[in-house]
Every structure is written in structure tokens, then in C-alpha cells.
């Protein structure tokens, strides 16, 4: 049936379009995170003295080299290059206060509260002290 085939194709297009929008939002967030990390690195460099830091200049950072390459050479696909460059142009640090920084970890010894949602209409929170981090990227907290 032609109508069923068209609906199926449109469903696939809708799913893929949603995935692309989610991917673009994730990239926007990652670009903001990278720019904030660079800003924090510059602030740290100023506190420690430029001679004591490895990446003092922005153009020496892997993030800035990636951004420069994207702007100069693209990503190998014209449409994707335009989309990524548009994301780079729109990712302004003035947007950052509305963005939740996703790459920070509380220091070992910190007391944190974790929201486990609601059970029977009652909020369920866990409070504990961060004892250590494990995993290849120190992504697992032991509390």
C-alpha cells in the first residue's frame, strides 16, 4: 500500500530529524563546555603565572585547533560543515548561565545530595560524602 509506505518513510524521517536536533543540542552544549574550560584555564594561568602553564594560548588548545580546522577545512560533508559552523557561531558564552556545566565533579570529601526521584509521591534523596573516583575516566563516584 502506497499510503502505508509513505507514512513509514515519514516516520523514519521524523525520528532521524529528532535525532539530528538532539545531536546538534549536544554539540552546542559541548562547545559551550569547551569554551568555559578555556576561560577557566586562562584564569588559572593568570593566577599561576603564564610560564607555569602548558596551554596558555588559546590556539594551542586541542579544542581551539579543532574549531579552527572545522572553520578552515570543514568536516568532509558540505551540509554537515554548514550545520557545525552554525553551531559554533551560535554557541556564545552569554548563553552559558542557562547551561548546566556537565563536566564537573565534586571534590573528594564533599558532601552531596542525589535526587532519586519520587516514591509513592515522596521525594527520595540520598546524602553522602564523596570518598573517591574510579573508572577509566574517573566517572564513578564511591560514596
Amino acid at each position: 500500500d502506497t499510503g502505508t509506505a509513505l507514512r513509514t518513510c515519514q516516520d523514519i524521517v521524523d525520528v532521524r530529524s529528532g535525532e539530528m536536533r538532539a545531536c546538534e543540542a549536544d554539540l552546542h552544549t559541548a562547545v559551550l563546555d569547551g569554551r568555559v574550560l578555556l576561560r577557566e584555564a586562562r584564569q588559572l594561568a593568570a593566577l599561576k603565572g603564564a610560564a607555569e602553564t602548558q596551554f596558555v594560548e588559546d590556539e594551542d588548545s586541542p579544542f581551539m585547533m579543532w574549531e579552527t580546522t572545522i572553520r578552515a577545512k570543514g568536516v568532509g560533508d558540505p551540509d554537515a560543515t554548514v550545520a557545525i559552523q552554525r553551531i559554533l557561531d551560535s554557541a556564545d558564552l552569554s548563553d552559558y548561565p542557562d547551561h548546566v556545566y556537565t563536566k564537573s565533579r565534586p571534590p573528594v570529601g564533599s558532601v552531596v545530595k542525589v535526587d532519586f526521584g519520587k516514591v509513592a509521591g515522596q521525594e527520595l534523596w540520598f546524602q553522602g560524602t564523596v570518598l573517591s573516583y574510579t573508572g577509566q575516566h574517573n566517572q564513578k563516584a564511591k560514596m
Side-chain angles (χ1 to χ4, degrees):
D1 180 54
T2 306
T4 303
L6 287 174
R7 278 192 304 275
T8 301
C9 287
Q10 187 59 48
D11 289 345
I12 292 169
V13 168
D14 292 345
V15 167
R16 296 291 184 246
S17 296
E19 290 172 343
M20 186 167 130
R21 284 189 300 276
C23 182
E24 288 174 343
D26 288 347
L27 181 58
H28 186 266
T29 298
V31 168
L32 286 173
D33 285 346
R35 290 181 178 166
V36 167
L37 286 171
L38 282 177
R39 181 178 66 193
E40 291 172 353
R42 280 193 300 272
Q43 291 169 348
L44 181 61
L47 290 173
K48 297 203 57 91
E52 297 178 33
T53 60
Q54 183 178 0
F55 293 115
V56 175
E57 300 297 325
D58 286 345
E59 61 268 7
D60 292 338
S61 77
F63 176 78
M64 288 305 296
M65 288 189 287
W66 170 80
E67 187 170 336
T68 301
T69 301
I70 296 297
R71 291 189 183 282
K73 297 180 182 176
V75 296
D77 177 270
D79 293 334
T81 297
V82 168
I84 292 173
Q85 288 175 348
R86 185 178 62 246
I87 291 167
L88 290 173
D89 292 340
S90 70
D92 185 353
L93 284 180
S94 64
D95 297 338
Y96 202 77
D98 297 329
H99 165 70
V100 176
Y101 186 48
T102 59
K103 305 295 188 246
S104 65
R105 295 183 319 213
V108 171
S110 298
V111 176
V112 296
K113 289 177 77 173
V114 180
D115 181 4
F116 280 89
K118 291 185 178 184
V119 174
Q122 215 172 357
E123 290 188 5
L124 184 62
W125 287 85
F126 173 79
Q127 182 172 326
T129 302
V130 178
L131 301 175
S132 65
Y133 289 98
T134 60
Q136 180 180 2
H137 303 287
N138 290 324
Q139 76 275 18
K140 299 176 185 174
K142 182 177 180 182
M143 296 179 70

